[in-house]
Amino acid sequence: GENVEQHPSTLSVQEGDSAVIKCTYSDSASNYFPWYKQELGKGPQLIIDIRSNVGEKKDQRIAVTLNKTAKHFSLHITETQPEDSAVYFCAASTGNQFYFGTGTSLTVIP
Amino acid sequence: DVKVTQSSRYLVKRTGEKVFLECVQDMDHENMFWYRQDPGLGLRLIYFSYDVKMKEKGDIPEGYSVSREKKERFSLILESASTNQTSMYLCASSLTPPEQYFGPGTRLTVT
């Protein structure tokens, strides 16, 4: 089955700096790559996603890039704010099943 | 907004008890999922369902069963709870093509 690896497991940045989280996947049939943000005590919330026919997608301060050849995708958060502090998960999907990374705990230091 | 609700936020059960976790979605989604979330292991799929009365095993189905009698409701059943089933349980739903939405989670403690 699919194997998704996520790095780093923890990340601390100063407020206003950028944060980058990287994921790799193993199954070339994966065609949908969502990113989730999970705040303490809450369920994961979809923040951005990208499909395999697109190389990059941006939504305000958040962007995702996908390199199908290398089988990796990344989340970029610019101008980080304290409210961006949370655990972020990547996932890869071939259709109806989702495979998740182990999460990155992001701390934005004011 | 899509809304996925779970019956309990916190639950404490004793070893050997039968446990029911309920999940309801209000967006007429075809697909529903149950995951467990453990530190360092991320989210692991227990069961999923494509449609009413349909179910498929995920990666860790042992010790669990599910029921989907209505499209909006997906139940996870722990037949005989054990301490190693202490975890955060997350329900999710999605359409096809997938955009998956999660409920708030149920933190289950088995003593």
Side-chain angles (χ1 to χ4, degrees), chain A residues 32 36 38 41-44 46 49 51 89 93 95-98 100-102, chain B residues 9 31 33 35 37 40 42-43 45 48 50 90 96-100 102-104:
Chain A
Y32 175 68
Y36 297 88
Q38 186 175 26
K42 297 183 179 180
L46 179 68
D49 57 15
R51 300 180 195 275
F89 290 94
S93 176
N96 288 324
Q97 284 205 53
F98 292 75
F100 289 83
T102 50
Chain B
R9 294 299 305 275
N31 308 315
F33 308 80
Y35 297 90
Q37 183 178 28
L43 279 74
L45 182 64
F48 62 103
Y50 294 126
L90 290 163
T96 305
E99 289 184 4
Q100 198 171 56
F102 284 87

PDB file of all heavy atoms in Angstrom, chain A residues 32 36 38 41-44 46 49 51 89 93 95-98 100-102, chain B residues 9 31 33 35 37 40 42-43 45 48 50 90 96-100 102-104:
ATOM      1  N   TYR A  32      -4.353  12.685  -5.266  1.00  0.00           N
ATOM      2  CA  TYR A  32      -4.962  13.766  -4.489  1.00  0.00           C
ATOM      3  C   TYR A  32      -4.176  13.908  -3.195  1.00  0.00           C
ATOM      4  O   TYR A  32      -3.922  12.913  -2.500  1.00  0.00           O
ATOM      5  CB  TYR A  32      -6.424  13.433  -4.201  1.00  0.00           C
ATOM      6  CG  TYR A  32      -7.132  14.419  -3.304  1.00  0.00           C
ATOM      7  CD1 TYR A  32      -7.398  15.713  -3.740  1.00  0.00           C
ATOM      8  CD2 TYR A  32      -7.528  14.059  -2.029  1.00  0.00           C
ATOM      9  CE1 TYR A  32      -8.046  16.613  -2.913  1.00  0.00           C
ATOM     10  CE2 TYR A  32      -8.174  14.948  -1.203  1.00  0.00           C
ATOM     11  CZ  TYR A  32      -8.428  16.234  -1.642  1.00  0.00           C
ATOM     12  OH  TYR A  32      -9.068  17.121  -0.830  1.00  0.00           O
ATOM     13  N   TYR A  36      -3.892  19.017   6.269  1.00  0.00           N
ATOM     14  CA  TYR A  36      -4.818  19.276   7.360  1.00  0.00           C
ATOM     15  C   TYR A  36      -4.096  19.989   8.496  1.00  0.00           C
ATOM     16  O   TYR A  36      -2.917  19.732   8.757  1.00  0.00           O
ATOM     17  CB  TYR A  36      -5.411  17.964   7.897  1.00  0.00           C
ATOM     18  CG  TYR A  36      -6.233  17.212   6.890  1.00  0.00           C
ATOM     19  CD1 TYR A  36      -5.640  16.302   6.020  1.00  0.00           C
ATOM     20  CD2 TYR A  36      -7.600  17.430   6.780  1.00  0.00           C
ATOM     21  CE1 TYR A  36      -6.387  15.614   5.084  1.00  0.00           C
ATOM     22  CE2 TYR A  36      -8.355  16.740   5.842  1.00  0.00           C
ATOM     23  CZ  TYR A  36      -7.737  15.846   5.000  1.00  0.00           C
ATOM     24  OH  TYR A  36      -8.482  15.174   4.063  1.00  0.00           O
ATOM     25  N   GLN A  38      -4.515  20.587  12.610  1.00  0.00           N
ATOM     26  CA  GLN A  38      -5.228  20.099  13.783  1.00  0.00           C
ATOM     27  C   GLN A  38      -4.818  20.910  14.999  1.00  0.00           C
ATOM     28  O   GLN A  38      -3.663  20.864  15.430  1.00  0.00           O
ATOM     29  CB  GLN A  38      -4.963  18.614  14.020  1.00  0.00           C
ATOM     30  CG  GLN A  38      -5.811  18.028  15.145  1.00  0.00           C
ATOM     31  CD  GLN A  38      -5.627  16.530  15.288  1.00  0.00           C
ATOM     32  OE1 GLN A  38      -4.606  15.970  14.928  1.00  0.00           O
ATOM     33  NE2 GLN A  38      -6.641  15.856  15.830  1.00  0.00           N
ATOM     34  N   GLY A  41      -7.212  19.511  20.768  1.00  0.00           N
ATOM     35  CA  GLY A  41      -8.566  19.127  21.160  1.00  0.00           C
ATOM     36  C   GLY A  41      -9.582  19.131  20.043  1.00  0.00           C
ATOM     37  O   GLY A  41     -10.781  18.948  20.285  1.00  0.00           O
ATOM     38  N   LYS A  42      -9.118  19.320  18.808  1.00  0.00           N
ATOM     39  CA  LYS A  42     -10.047  19.374  17.677  1.00  0.00           C
ATOM     40  C   LYS A  42      -9.667  18.335  16.628  1.00  0.00           C
ATOM     41  O   LYS A  42      -8.554  17.818  16.615  1.00  0.00           O
ATOM     42  CB  LYS A  42     -10.042  20.766  17.054  1.00  0.00           C
ATOM     43  CG  LYS A  42     -10.516  21.864  17.988  1.00  0.00           C
ATOM     44  CD  LYS A  42     -10.549  23.197  17.269  1.00  0.00           C
ATOM     45  CE  LYS A  42     -11.050  24.307  18.179  1.00  0.00           C
ATOM     46  NZ  LYS A  42     -11.092  25.626  17.480  1.00  0.00           N
ATOM     47  N   GLY A  43     -10.599  18.074  15.726  1.00  0.00           N
ATOM     48  CA  GLY A  43     -10.304  17.191  14.613  1.00  0.00           C
ATOM     49  C   GLY A  43      -9.522  17.916  13.537  1.00  0.00           C
ATOM     50  O   GLY A  43      -9.500  19.148  13.488  1.00  0.00           O
ATOM     51  N   PRO A  44      -8.848  17.192  12.652  1.00  0.00           N
ATOM     52  CA  PRO A  44      -8.111  17.832  11.553  1.00  0.00           C
ATOM     53  C   PRO A  44      -9.050  18.630  10.641  1.00  0.00           C
ATOM     54  O   PRO A  44     -10.174  18.207  10.375  1.00  0.00           O
ATOM     55  CB  PRO A  44      -7.503  16.639  10.802  1.00  0.00           C
ATOM     56  CG  PRO A  44      -7.467  15.525  11.795  1.00  0.00           C
ATOM     57  CD  PRO A  44      -8.674  15.729  12.654  1.00  0.00           C
ATOM     58  N   LEU A  46      -9.262  20.482   6.875  1.00  0.00           N
ATOM     59  CA  LEU A  46      -8.647  20.635   5.558  1.00  0.00           C
ATOM     60  C   LEU A  46      -8.313  22.101   5.304  1.00  0.00           C
ATOM     61  O   LEU A  46      -9.177  22.973   5.433  1.00  0.00           O
ATOM     62  CB  LEU A  46      -9.625  20.141   4.494  1.00  0.00           C
ATOM     63  CG  LEU A  46      -9.189  20.241   3.039  1.00  0.00           C
ATOM     64  CD1 LEU A  46      -8.048  19.277   2.747  1.00  0.00           C
ATOM     65  CD2 LEU A  46     -10.366  19.959   2.101  1.00  0.00           C
ATOM     66  N   ASP A  49      -5.485  21.661  -0.680  1.00  0.00           N
ATOM     67  CA  ASP A  49      -5.258  20.375  -1.327  1.00  0.00           C
ATOM     68  C   ASP A  49      -4.769  20.605  -2.749  1.00  0.00           C
ATOM     69  O   ASP A  49      -4.875  21.712  -3.296  1.00  0.00           O
ATOM     70  CB  ASP A  49      -6.506  19.498  -1.313  1.00  0.00           C
ATOM     71  CG  ASP A  49      -7.716  20.171  -1.969  1.00  0.00           C
ATOM     72  OD1 ASP A  49      -7.552  21.182  -2.688  1.00  0.00           O
ATOM     73  OD2 ASP A  49      -8.849  19.691  -1.745  1.00  0.00           O
ATOM     74  N   ARG A  51      -4.283  18.403  -6.652  1.00  0.00           N
ATOM     75  CA  ARG A  51      -4.496  17.183  -7.422  1.00  0.00           C
ATOM     76  C   ARG A  51      -3.309  16.972  -8.352  1.00  0.00           C
ATOM     77  O   ARG A  51      -2.553  17.899  -8.649  1.00  0.00           O
ATOM     78  CB  ARG A  51      -5.812  17.272  -8.174  1.00  0.00           C
ATOM     79  CG  ARG A  51      -6.970  17.435  -7.211  1.00  0.00           C
ATOM     80  CD  ARG A  51      -8.333  17.544  -7.877  1.00  0.00           C
ATOM     81  NE  ARG A  51      -9.325  18.035  -6.923  1.00  0.00           N
ATOM     82  CZ  ARG A  51      -9.988  17.281  -6.082  1.00  0.00           C
ATOM     83  NH1 ARG A  51      -9.804  15.976  -6.061  1.00  0.00           N
ATOM     84  NH2 ARG A  51     -10.865  17.795  -5.238  1.00  0.00           N
ATOM     85  N   PHE A  89      -0.874  17.793   9.075  1.00  0.00           N
ATOM     86  CA  PHE A  89      -0.759  16.462   8.490  1.00  0.00           C
ATOM     87  C   PHE A  89      -0.860  16.557   6.980  1.00  0.00           C
ATOM     88  O   PHE A  89      -1.727  17.254   6.448  1.00  0.00           O
ATOM     89  CB  PHE A  89      -1.900  15.550   8.957  1.00  0.00           C
ATOM     90  CG  PHE A  89      -1.830  15.157  10.400  1.00  0.00           C
ATOM     91  CD1 PHE A  89      -2.508  15.869  11.370  1.00  0.00           C
ATOM     92  CD2 PHE A  89      -1.090  14.044  10.773  1.00  0.00           C
ATOM     93  CE1 PHE A  89      -2.453  15.492  12.699  1.00  0.00           C
ATOM     94  CE2 PHE A  89      -1.022  13.665  12.104  1.00  0.00           C
ATOM     95  CZ  PHE A  89      -1.708  14.399  13.070  1.00  0.00           C
ATOM     96  N   SER A  93      -3.918  10.212  -1.537  1.00  0.00           N
ATOM     97  CA  SER A  93      -5.084   9.391  -1.793  1.00  0.00           C
ATOM     98  C   SER A  93      -5.074   8.907  -3.240  1.00  0.00           C
ATOM     99  O   SER A  93      -4.761   9.655  -4.162  1.00  0.00           O
ATOM    100  CB  SER A  93      -6.366  10.180  -1.526  1.00  0.00           C
ATOM    101  OG  SER A  93      -7.499   9.421  -1.870  1.00  0.00           O
ATOM    102  N   GLY A  95      -7.911   7.544  -4.360  1.00  0.00           N
ATOM    103  CA  GLY A  95      -9.340   7.529  -4.688  1.00  0.00           C
ATOM    104  C   GLY A  95     -10.138   7.689  -3.427  1.00  0.00           C
ATOM    105  O   GLY A  95     -10.300   8.803  -2.930  1.00  0.00           O
ATOM    106  N   ASN A  96     -10.585   6.601  -2.848  1.00  0.00           N
ATOM    107  CA  ASN A  96     -11.387   6.704  -1.640  1.00  0.00           C
ATOM    108  C   ASN A  96     -10.608   6.490  -0.358  1.00  0.00           C
ATOM    109  O   ASN A  96     -11.095   6.800   0.716  1.00  0.00           O
ATOM    110  CB  ASN A  96     -12.546   5.717  -1.699  1.00  0.00           C
ATOM    111  CG  ASN A  96     -13.594   6.138  -2.696  1.00  0.00           C
ATOM    112  OD1 ASN A  96     -13.847   7.316  -2.857  1.00  0.00           O
ATOM    113  ND2 ASN A  96     -14.186   5.191  -3.381  1.00  0.00           N
ATOM    114  N   GLN A  97      -9.399   5.947  -0.455  1.00  0.00           N
ATOM    115  CA  GLN A  97      -8.604   5.751   0.759  1.00  0.00           C
ATOM    116  C   GLN A  97      -7.562   6.840   0.890  1.00  0.00           C
ATOM    117  O   GLN A  97      -7.020   7.320  -0.110  1.00  0.00           O
ATOM    118  CB  GLN A  97      -7.914   4.390   0.726  1.00  0.00           C
ATOM    119  CG  GLN A  97      -8.846   3.233   1.031  1.00  0.00           C
ATOM    120  CD  GLN A  97      -8.096   2.042   1.582  1.00  0.00           C
ATOM    121  OE1 GLN A  97      -7.354   2.159   2.545  1.00  0.00           O
ATOM    122  NE2 GLN A  97      -8.270   0.893   0.956  1.00  0.00           N
ATOM    123  N   PHE A  98      -7.280   7.205   2.143  1.00  0.00           N
ATOM    124  CA  PHE A  98      -6.309   8.243   2.446  1.00  0.00           C
ATOM    125  C   PHE A  98      -5.197   7.651   3.301  1.00  0.00           C
ATOM    126  O   PHE A  98      -5.448   6.858   4.193  1.00  0.00           O
ATOM    127  CB  PHE A  98      -6.976   9.379   3.230  1.00  0.00           C
ATOM    128  CG  PHE A  98      -7.969  10.175   2.433  1.00  0.00           C
ATOM    129  CD1 PHE A  98      -9.218   9.659   2.149  1.00  0.00           C
ATOM    130  CD2 PHE A  98      -7.652  11.433   1.962  1.00  0.00           C
ATOM    131  CE1 PHE A  98     -10.125  10.382   1.405  1.00  0.00           C
ATOM    132  CE2 PHE A  98      -8.563  12.181   1.229  1.00  0.00           C
ATOM    133  CZ  PHE A  98      -9.806  11.647   0.954  1.00  0.00           C
ATOM    134  N   PHE A 100      -1.927   8.924   5.652  1.00  0.00           N
ATOM    135  CA  PHE A 100      -1.489  10.137   6.316  1.00  0.00           C
ATOM    136  C   PHE A 100      -0.030  10.071   6.731  1.00  0.00           C
ATOM    137  O   PHE A 100       0.492   9.006   7.082  1.00  0.00           O
ATOM    138  CB  PHE A 100      -2.335  10.388   7.561  1.00  0.00           C
ATOM    139  CG  PHE A 100      -3.742  10.811   7.246  1.00  0.00           C
ATOM    140  CD1 PHE A 100      -4.720   9.868   6.952  1.00  0.00           C
ATOM    141  CD2 PHE A 100      -4.088  12.146   7.231  1.00  0.00           C
ATOM    142  CE1 PHE A 100      -6.015  10.248   6.640  1.00  0.00           C
ATOM    143  CE2 PHE A 100      -5.383  12.545   6.928  1.00  0.00           C
ATOM    144  CZ  PHE A 100      -6.348  11.598   6.635  1.00  0.00           C
ATOM    145  N   GLY A 101       0.608  11.241   6.719  1.00  0.00           N
ATOM    146  CA  GLY A 101       1.903  11.383   7.367  1.00  0.00           C
ATOM    147  C   GLY A 101       1.716  11.400   8.875  1.00  0.00           C
ATOM    148  O   GLY A 101       0.593  11.446   9.380  1.00  0.00           O
ATOM    149  N   THR A 102       2.822  11.386   9.597  1.00  0.00           N
ATOM    150  CA  THR A 102       2.768  11.299  11.057  1.00  0.00           C
ATOM    151  C   THR A 102       2.634  12.664  11.725  1.00  0.00           C
ATOM    152  O   THR A 102       2.557  12.742  12.947  1.00  0.00           O
ATOM    153  CB  THR A 102       3.992  10.578  11.603  1.00  0.00           C
ATOM    154  OG1 THR A 102       5.159  11.163  11.038  1.00  0.00           O
ATOM    155  CG2 THR A 102       3.951   9.092  11.259  1.00  0.00           C
TER     156      THR A 102
ATOM    157  N   ARG B   9     -17.249  13.552  23.159  1.00  0.00           N
ATOM    158  CA  ARG B   9     -15.889  14.076  23.062  1.00  0.00           C
ATOM    159  C   ARG B   9     -14.921  13.263  23.920  1.00  0.00           C
ATOM    160  O   ARG B   9     -13.773  13.063  23.552  1.00  0.00           O
ATOM    161  CB  ARG B   9     -15.846  15.542  23.504  1.00  0.00           C
ATOM    162  CG  ARG B   9     -16.604  16.493  22.599  1.00  0.00           C
ATOM    163  CD  ARG B   9     -16.051  16.493  21.169  1.00  0.00           C
ATOM    164  NE  ARG B   9     -14.633  16.778  21.103  1.00  0.00           N
ATOM    165  CZ  ARG B   9     -14.117  18.004  21.087  1.00  0.00           C
ATOM    166  NH1 ARG B   9     -14.888  19.066  21.142  1.00  0.00           N
ATOM    167  NH2 ARG B   9     -12.809  18.168  21.023  1.00  0.00           N
ATOM    168  N   ASN B  31     -18.962   8.620   1.257  1.00  0.00           N
ATOM    169  CA  ASN B  31     -17.903   7.889   1.942  1.00  0.00           C
ATOM    170  C   ASN B  31     -17.770   8.339   3.389  1.00  0.00           C
ATOM    171  O   ASN B  31     -17.800   9.533   3.678  1.00  0.00           O
ATOM    172  CB  ASN B  31     -16.561   8.134   1.243  1.00  0.00           C
ATOM    173  CG  ASN B  31     -16.637   7.868  -0.246  1.00  0.00           C
ATOM    174  OD1 ASN B  31     -17.188   6.866  -0.661  1.00  0.00           O
ATOM    175  ND2 ASN B  31     -16.104   8.780  -1.040  1.00  0.00           N
ATOM    176  N   PHE B  33     -15.479   7.329   7.145  1.00  0.00           N
ATOM    177  CA  PHE B  33     -14.249   6.683   7.604  1.00  0.00           C
ATOM    178  C   PHE B  33     -14.167   6.727   9.126  1.00  0.00           C
ATOM    179  O   PHE B  33     -14.621   7.696   9.739  1.00  0.00           O
ATOM    180  CB  PHE B  33     -13.021   7.433   7.061  1.00  0.00           C
ATOM    181  CG  PHE B  33     -13.021   7.658   5.575  1.00  0.00           C
ATOM    182  CD1 PHE B  33     -13.762   8.684   5.003  1.00  0.00           C
ATOM    183  CD2 PHE B  33     -12.258   6.856   4.745  1.00  0.00           C
ATOM    184  CE1 PHE B  33     -13.758   8.902   3.631  1.00  0.00           C
ATOM    185  CE2 PHE B  33     -12.232   7.069   3.380  1.00  0.00           C
ATOM    186  CZ  PHE B  33     -12.986   8.093   2.816  1.00  0.00           C
ATOM    187  N   TYR B  35     -10.940   6.514  11.870  1.00  0.00           N
ATOM    188  CA  TYR B  35      -9.504   6.457  12.114  1.00  0.00           C
ATOM    189  C   TYR B  35      -9.256   6.444  13.617  1.00  0.00           C
ATOM    190  O   TYR B  35     -10.057   6.937  14.400  1.00  0.00           O
ATOM    191  CB  TYR B  35      -8.798   7.701  11.563  1.00  0.00           C
ATOM    192  CG  TYR B  35      -8.860   7.908  10.080  1.00  0.00           C
ATOM    193  CD1 TYR B  35      -9.891   8.638   9.492  1.00  0.00           C
ATOM    194  CD2 TYR B  35      -7.861   7.415   9.248  1.00  0.00           C
ATOM    195  CE1 TYR B  35      -9.937   8.849   8.127  1.00  0.00           C
ATOM    196  CE2 TYR B  35      -7.892   7.633   7.873  1.00  0.00           C
ATOM    197  CZ  TYR B  35      -8.938   8.348   7.332  1.00  0.00           C
ATOM    198  OH  TYR B  35      -8.972   8.564   5.979  1.00  0.00           O
ATOM    199  N   GLN B  37      -6.084   7.862  16.156  1.00  0.00           N
ATOM    200  CA  GLN B  37      -4.911   8.727  16.133  1.00  0.00           C
ATOM    201  C   GLN B  37      -4.114   8.522  17.399  1.00  0.00           C
ATOM    202  O   GLN B  37      -4.629   8.715  18.509  1.00  0.00           O
ATOM    203  CB  GLN B  37      -5.341  10.203  16.010  1.00  0.00           C
ATOM    204  CG  GLN B  37      -4.176  11.165  15.914  1.00  0.00           C
ATOM    205  CD  GLN B  37      -4.636  12.593  15.739  1.00  0.00           C
ATOM    206  OE1 GLN B  37      -5.717  12.981  16.160  1.00  0.00           O
ATOM    207  NE2 GLN B  37      -3.783  13.396  15.121  1.00  0.00           N
ATOM    208  N   GLY B  40       2.826   9.895  17.393  1.00  0.00           N
ATOM    209  CA  GLY B  40       3.924   9.300  16.631  1.00  0.00           C
ATOM    210  C   GLY B  40       3.495   8.357  15.533  1.00  0.00           C
ATOM    211  O   GLY B  40       4.314   7.940  14.710  1.00  0.00           O
ATOM    212  N   GLY B  42       0.415   8.966  13.731  1.00  0.00           N
ATOM    213  CA  GLY B  42      -0.487   9.644  12.810  1.00  0.00           C
ATOM    214  C   GLY B  42      -1.887   9.053  12.852  1.00  0.00           C
ATOM    215  O   GLY B  42      -2.326   8.515  13.869  1.00  0.00           O
ATOM    216  N   LEU B  43      -2.570   9.130  11.732  1.00  0.00           N
ATOM    217  CA  LEU B  43      -3.934   8.606  11.618  1.00  0.00           C
ATOM    218  C   LEU B  43      -3.886   7.260  10.906  1.00  0.00           C
ATOM    219  O   LEU B  43      -3.292   7.135   9.834  1.00  0.00           O
ATOM    220  CB  LEU B  43      -4.811   9.566  10.812  1.00  0.00           C
ATOM    221  CG  LEU B  43      -5.378  10.776  11.545  1.00  0.00           C
ATOM    222  CD1 LEU B  43      -4.312  11.815  11.812  1.00  0.00           C
ATOM    223  CD2 LEU B  43      -6.522  11.368  10.738  1.00  0.00           C
ATOM    224  N   LEU B  45      -6.288   4.084   9.457  1.00  0.00           N
ATOM    225  CA  LEU B  45      -7.650   3.780   9.037  1.00  0.00           C
ATOM    226  C   LEU B  45      -8.116   2.456   9.638  1.00  0.00           C
ATOM    227  O   LEU B  45      -7.453   1.428   9.482  1.00  0.00           O
ATOM    228  CB  LEU B  45      -7.714   3.725   7.515  1.00  0.00           C
ATOM    229  CG  LEU B  45      -9.068   3.456   6.894  1.00  0.00           C
ATOM    230  CD1 LEU B  45     -10.043   4.591   7.202  1.00  0.00           C
ATOM    231  CD2 LEU B  45      -8.926   3.279   5.385  1.00  0.00           C
ATOM    232  N   PHE B  48     -13.797   1.827   6.515  1.00  0.00           N
ATOM    233  CA  PHE B  48     -14.480   2.857   5.754  1.00  0.00           C
ATOM    234  C   PHE B  48     -15.679   2.261   5.037  1.00  0.00           C
ATOM    235  O   PHE B  48     -15.817   1.034   4.941  1.00  0.00           O
ATOM    236  CB  PHE B  48     -13.526   3.582   4.808  1.00  0.00           C
ATOM    237  CG  PHE B  48     -12.893   2.714   3.763  1.00  0.00           C
ATOM    238  CD1 PHE B  48     -13.344   2.736   2.449  1.00  0.00           C
ATOM    239  CD2 PHE B  48     -11.797   1.900   4.063  1.00  0.00           C
ATOM    240  CE1 PHE B  48     -12.733   1.960   1.482  1.00  0.00           C
ATOM    241  CE2 PHE B  48     -11.197   1.129   3.107  1.00  0.00           C
ATOM    242  CZ  PHE B  48     -11.657   1.152   1.811  1.00  0.00           C
ATOM    243  N   TYR B  50     -18.355   2.966   1.562  1.00  0.00           N
ATOM    244  CA  TYR B  50     -18.675   3.681   0.336  1.00  0.00           C
ATOM    245  C   TYR B  50     -20.160   4.028   0.238  1.00  0.00           C
ATOM    246  O   TYR B  50     -20.545   4.910  -0.529  1.00  0.00           O
ATOM    247  CB  TYR B  50     -18.345   2.832  -0.893  1.00  0.00           C
ATOM    248  CG  TYR B  50     -16.882   2.554  -1.084  1.00  0.00           C
ATOM    249  CD1 TYR B  50     -16.434   1.248  -1.225  1.00  0.00           C
ATOM    250  CD2 TYR B  50     -15.957   3.575  -1.138  1.00  0.00           C
ATOM    251  CE1 TYR B  50     -15.092   0.973  -1.417  1.00  0.00           C
ATOM    252  CE2 TYR B  50     -14.615   3.315  -1.330  1.00  0.00           C
ATOM    253  CZ  TYR B  50     -14.185   2.015  -1.473  1.00  0.00           C
ATOM    254  OH  TYR B  50     -12.863   1.747  -1.662  1.00  0.00           O
ATOM    255  N   LEU B  90     -11.305   9.348  15.292  1.00  0.00           N
ATOM    256  CA  LEU B  90     -11.760  10.400  14.401  1.00  0.00           C
ATOM    257  C   LEU B  90     -12.631   9.811  13.301  1.00  0.00           C
ATOM    258  O   LEU B  90     -12.249   8.841  12.652  1.00  0.00           O
ATOM    259  CB  LEU B  90     -10.570  11.116  13.769  1.00  0.00           C
ATOM    260  CG  LEU B  90      -9.727  11.982  14.713  1.00  0.00           C
ATOM    261  CD1 LEU B  90      -8.392  12.291  14.090  1.00  0.00           C
ATOM    262  CD2 LEU B  90     -10.461  13.251  15.059  1.00  0.00           C
ATOM    263  N   THR B  96     -16.860  11.754  -3.638  1.00  0.00           N
ATOM    264  CA  THR B  96     -15.909  11.272  -4.632  1.00  0.00           C
ATOM    265  C   THR B  96     -16.010  12.179  -5.844  1.00  0.00           C
ATOM    266  O   THR B  96     -17.077  12.301  -6.415  1.00  0.00           O
ATOM    267  CB  THR B  96     -16.248   9.831  -5.053  1.00  0.00           C
ATOM    268  OG1 THR B  96     -16.304   9.005  -3.896  1.00  0.00           O
ATOM    269  CG2 THR B  96     -15.203   9.300  -6.015  1.00  0.00           C
ATOM    270  N   PRO B  97     -14.965  12.869  -6.287  1.00  0.00           N
ATOM    271  CA  PRO B  97     -13.582  12.835  -5.805  1.00  0.00           C
ATOM    272  C   PRO B  97     -13.449  13.410  -4.402  1.00  0.00           C
ATOM    273  O   PRO B  97     -14.272  14.192  -3.987  1.00  0.00           O
ATOM    274  CB  PRO B  97     -12.830  13.691  -6.826  1.00  0.00           C
ATOM    275  CG  PRO B  97     -13.857  14.587  -7.392  1.00  0.00           C
ATOM    276  CD  PRO B  97     -15.127  13.804  -7.399  1.00  0.00           C
ATOM    277  N   PRO B  98     -12.416  13.011  -3.723  1.00  0.00           N
ATOM    278  CA  PRO B  98     -12.395  13.168  -2.271  1.00  0.00           C
ATOM    279  C   PRO B  98     -11.990  14.543  -1.777  1.00  0.00           C
ATOM    280  O   PRO B  98     -11.009  15.091  -2.212  1.00  0.00           O
ATOM    281  CB  PRO B  98     -11.354  12.134  -1.841  1.00  0.00           C
ATOM    282  CG  PRO B  98     -10.399  12.089  -2.984  1.00  0.00           C
ATOM    283  CD  PRO B  98     -11.217  12.319  -4.208  1.00  0.00           C
ATOM    284  N   GLU B  99     -12.748  15.089  -0.876  1.00  0.00           N
ATOM    285  CA  GLU B  99     -12.336  16.173   0.002  1.00  0.00           C
ATOM    286  C   GLU B  99     -12.855  15.756   1.365  1.00  0.00           C
ATOM    287  O   GLU B  99     -14.052  15.801   1.616  1.00  0.00           O
ATOM    288  CB  GLU B  99     -12.942  17.500  -0.429  1.00  0.00           C
ATOM    289  CG  GLU B  99     -12.353  18.034  -1.706  1.00  0.00           C
ATOM    290  CD  GLU B  99     -12.898  19.399  -2.067  1.00  0.00           C
ATOM    291  OE1 GLU B  99     -13.673  19.960  -1.273  1.00  0.00           O
ATOM    292  OE2 GLU B  99     -12.553  19.887  -3.143  1.00  0.00           O
ATOM    293  N   GLN B 100     -11.964  15.320   2.213  1.00  0.00           N
ATOM    294  CA  GLN B 100     -12.358  14.655   3.438  1.00  0.00           C
ATOM    295  C   GLN B 100     -12.529  15.657   4.575  1.00  0.00           C
ATOM    296  O   GLN B 100     -11.677  16.536   4.763  1.00  0.00           O
ATOM    297  CB  GLN B 100     -11.295  13.617   3.800  1.00  0.00           C
ATOM    298  CG  GLN B 100     -11.738  12.571   4.786  1.00  0.00           C
ATOM    299  CD  GLN B 100     -10.710  11.473   4.923  1.00  0.00           C
ATOM    300  OE1 GLN B 100      -9.557  11.748   5.227  1.00  0.00           O
ATOM    301  NE2 GLN B 100     -11.122  10.236   4.716  1.00  0.00           N
ATOM    302  N   PHE B 102     -13.393  16.067   8.773  1.00  0.00           N
ATOM    303  CA  PHE B 102     -13.317  15.336  10.028  1.00  0.00           C
ATOM    304  C   PHE B 102     -14.266  15.876  11.086  1.00  0.00           C
ATOM    305  O   PHE B 102     -14.571  17.065  11.134  1.00  0.00           O
ATOM    306  CB  PHE B 102     -11.892  15.409  10.590  1.00  0.00           C
ATOM    307  CG  PHE B 102     -10.920  14.521   9.879  1.00  0.00           C
ATOM    308  CD1 PHE B 102     -10.254  14.971   8.746  1.00  0.00           C
ATOM    309  CD2 PHE B 102     -10.675  13.240  10.340  1.00  0.00           C
ATOM    310  CE1 PHE B 102      -9.357  14.146   8.079  1.00  0.00           C
ATOM    311  CE2 PHE B 102      -9.773  12.412   9.681  1.00  0.00           C
ATOM    312  CZ  PHE B 102      -9.122  12.872   8.552  1.00  0.00           C
ATOM    313  N   GLY B 103     -14.685  14.982  11.954  1.00  0.00           N
ATOM    314  CA  GLY B 103     -15.377  15.374  13.163  1.00  0.00           C
ATOM    315  C   GLY B 103     -14.381  15.807  14.233  1.00  0.00           C
ATOM    316  O   GLY B 103     -13.170  15.759  14.015  1.00  0.00           O
ATOM    317  N   PRO B 104     -14.871  16.209  15.405  1.00  0.00           N
ATOM    318  CA  PRO B 104     -13.993  16.736  16.456  1.00  0.00           C
ATOM    319  C   PRO B 104     -13.216  15.668  17.206  1.00  0.00           C
ATOM    320  O   PRO B 104     -12.279  15.989  17.933  1.00  0.00           O
ATOM    321  CB  PRO B 104     -14.967  17.446  17.393  1.00  0.00           C
ATOM    322  CG  PRO B 104     -16.258  16.735  17.199  1.00  0.00           C
ATOM    323  CD  PRO B 104     -16.291  16.329  15.753  1.00  0.00           C
TER     324      PRO B 104
END
